[in-house]
Amino acid sequence: MLEIAIRRKSYPDRGGQPHLALSGLALNAAPGEFVCVVGPSGCGKSTLLNVVGGLDRDVDGRVSLGGAAPEHGIGFMFQEPRLMPWLTVLDNVLLVAGQSDAAQRRARDLLGAMGLGEVMDAFPGRLSGGMQRRVALARAFVIEPKLLLMDEPFVSLDVPTANRLRAMLVELWQRCRCTVLFVTHDLREALSLADRVCFLSAAPGRVVLEYPLALPRPRMPDDATVQALQASLLAQHPELLAGLATAGTGSDGSADD
Ligand code: ADP
Ligand code: MG
């Protein structure tokens, strides 16, 4: 079980005063659960993932990874593909997996299954944006992660490309059954992917509403069922995407002082 209880996470502002990014944020995820985190820009979503992934340890709070460890077992995917331009596609994937025979085999199988077999020896600069994201997705899965942290990984892609990547992600996740924490500001994307959506307040971020989903997969953001769900959710909580759940129905985060 992934258990997150952040009392306070702040950054020093220009004058050296603490600027509160997260406050009283409580969030758990069961093993194998796909959790999407939705919140307005600047509410602390990237901060949350950095804290959970151990990239930022300057925090007043507790994260229990339930078996994964920052040194291994956590896969990351960021907004930009973050590939090394001087390494081939295969070597970019092996960078996180090591050079053992088993890692080589896993990387080649994965790249092949993801339609990247032909470009394994190419450099990332030659690939389209969509293909670069696919490489980043392969790199996230090649270590067979227990926990996968994704920070708006499919933004600024055209709709069909983003949808193909989403389908690929769900397929890979269904095979490995890792826990996923997927951050997005796109509600329909969240509804098309998640077992549960956690909505964050505006800054400083905390969970204001948890929304479990029982829709069968595969789903796509433009499915009628997903659109209907979005409409009913926003009818019930008109200001949800601004970080406000209608009083009385949201979780209060419960890690407050
Ligand atoms: P989101 O990903 O939801 O858009 P972030 O986690 O990036 O939000 O940022 C949350 C808040 O913390 C913002 O006000 C942002 O300006 C601030 N912040 C983020 N990273 C830093 C940093 N390294 N130093 C100072 N302030 C930061
Ligand atoms: Mg962000």
Side-chain angles (χ1 to χ4, degrees):
M1 174 77 96
L2 170 67
E3 295 173 295
I4 305 164
I6 298 172
R7 289 168 65 82
R8 299 167 73 81
K9 162 66 197 168
S10 51
Y11 297 103
D13 72 5
R14 282 205 183 142
Q17 296 300 308
H19 165 79
L20 203 52
L22 300 170
S23 175
L25 188 149
L27 199 168
N28 293 347
E33 193 179 16
F34 198 128
V35 176
C36 282
V37 176
V38 172
S41 176
C43 76
K45 301 184 296 298
S46 297
T47 299
L48 170 66
L49 286 194
N50 289 339
V51 167
V52 173
L55 303 178
D56 186 343
R57 295 172 186 275
D58 178 18
V59 62
D60 173 6
R62 206 166 33 78
V63 175
S64 162
L65 294 171
E71 301 74 30
H72 58 91
I74 301 185
F76 282 95
M77 191 169 166
F78 304 96
Q79 217 158 311
E80 309 81 32
R82 297 201 190 174
L83 304 174
M84 306 296 148
W86 60 87
L87 294 178
T88 65
V89 163
L90 179 62
D91 284 337
N92 264 284
V93 173
L94 288 173
L95 195 60
V96 297
Q99 295 283 343
S100 69
D101 288 351
Q104 294 258 0
R105 208 170 324 113
R106 249 190 350 260
R108 287 175 188 279
D109 288 352
L110 193 54
L111 288 168
M114 294 174 75
L116 294 166
E118 303 280 286
V119 297
M120 265 190 249
D121 298 318
F123 292 96
R126 271 198 35 215
L127 308 183
S128 68
M131 281 172 109
Q132 293 188 14
R133 307 296 173 108
R134 236 187 291 166
V135 177
L137 193 57
R139 185 183 53 188
F141 274 97
V142 75
I143 59 165
E144 299 179 319
K146 287 215 166 65
L147 175 62
L148 186 55
L149 302 176
M150 309 191 81
D151 193 353
E152 311 206 38
F154 306 140
V155 292
S156 65
L157 291 171
D158 61 79
V159 171
T161 302
N163 281 344
R164 262 201 304 281
L165 280 157
R166 291 181 187 117
M168 229 172 240
L169 162 64
V170 168
E171 235 184 271
L172 291 164
W173 163 72
Q174 284 176 327
R175 240 180 278 159
C176 94
R177 283 291 162 185
C178 51
T179 308
V180 181
L181 213 53
F182 185 108
V183 156
T184 177
H185 61 264
D186 179 343
L187 176 53
R188 273 200 280 154
E189 174 174 56
L191 294 174
S192 74
L193 291 172
D195 292 321
R196 181 160 50 97
V197 183
C198 292
F199 293 90
L200 298 192
S201 66
R206 65 188 180 87
V207 177
V208 292
L209 182 73
E210 298 199 26
Y211 190 77
L213 281 128
L215 286 182
R217 293 185 174 92
R219 331 166 184 145
M220 281 294 143
D222 35 16
D223 286 352
T225 45
V226 169
Q227 299 202 39
L229 211 54
Q230 177 194 33
S232 88
L233 199 50
L234 292 180
Q236 213 181 333
H237 306 282
E239 293 190 90
L240 194 54
L241 297 181
L244 294 169
T246 304
T249 52
S251 142
D252 68 1
S254 73
D256 273 317
D257 293 340

